Amino acid sequence: EKAASYKRRMLRLQMLFSEIDADNSGSISEQEWEAMFVDSEVLTELCDCTNLAEKDLQELFSCIAVDVNLARRRGGDRQGIPPGKNIKGKYINYATFMEALKDESTNADKRSVLQIL
């Protein structure tokens, strides 16, 4: 049941991202991300799909978003910059975001905490 619920939520999230991602690159730019928070219906759907509050969503974005200038200096497309996407600032890949949501509900073990320290 839990796995089926997660799968349904991720399908809804994928549909939501594809509506926001105007160029169908598989990524959401910082500008596209911010636009989702302006539209109350989209924000409500995003919170429902992720089971996260607005503040937590913003925190998750800031943790996993890639700075496009840094990524370009490190090798461009190999760093996951979507080809042809005109990005300024930061962006996230759908798959990376959804994987982070999956991991978000997992308890941290001692080793994970020590890696951060």
Side-chain angles (χ1 to χ4, degrees), residues 55-71:
K55 178 181 176 265
D56 297 325
L57 285 165
Q58 294 289 23
E59 186 177 289
L60 182 59
F61 182 89
S62 70
C63 287
I64 66 171
V66 176
D67 182 289
V68 77
N69 293 325
L70 181 61

Side-chain angles (χ1 to χ4, degrees), residues 3-71:
S5 173
Y6 171 79
K7 189 173 183 174
R8 283 192 303 274
R9 290 186 306 112
M10 291 305 101
L11 286 173
R12 286 173 47 208
L13 184 59
Q14 179 108 27
M15 288 174 46
L16 182 62
F17 279 166
S18 66
E19 289 175 20
I20 298 299
D21 180 19
D23 60 3
N24 295 318
S25 65
S27 67
I28 300 290
S29 69
E30 192 169 14
Q31 292 79 20
E32 290 168 329
W33 178 260
E34 289 170 2
M36 293 193 315
F37 287 79
V38 173
D39 185 327
S40 62
E41 286 182 33
V42 172
L43 178 57
T44 299
E45 181 69 8
L46 184 61
C47 290
D48 285 348
C49 291
T50 60
N51 284 337
L52 295 174
E54 181 177 348
K55 178 181 176 265
D56 297 325
L57 285 165
Q58 294 289 23
E59 186 177 289
L60 182 59
F61 182 89
S62 70
C63 287
I64 66 171
V66 176
D67 182 289
V68 77
N69 293 325
L70 181 61

Side-chain angles (χ1 to χ4, degrees), residues 51-100:
N51 284 337
L52 295 174
E54 181 177 348
K55 178 181 176 265
D56 297 325
L57 285 165
Q58 294 289 23
E59 186 177 289
L60 182 59
F61 182 89
S62 70
C63 287
I64 66 171
V66 176
D67 182 289
V68 77
N69 293 325
L70 181 61
R72 284 194 175 118
R73 285 195 302 267
R74 290 186 176 168
D77 291 340
R78 291 179 314 209
Q79 294 294 319
I81 297 174
K85 184 148 185 133
N86 185 17
I87 300 175
K88 295 177 182 150
K90 297 181 177 183
Y91 70 94
I92 58 167
N93 178 282
Y94 300 176
T96 303
F97 186 83
M98 290 190 264
E99 188 65 28

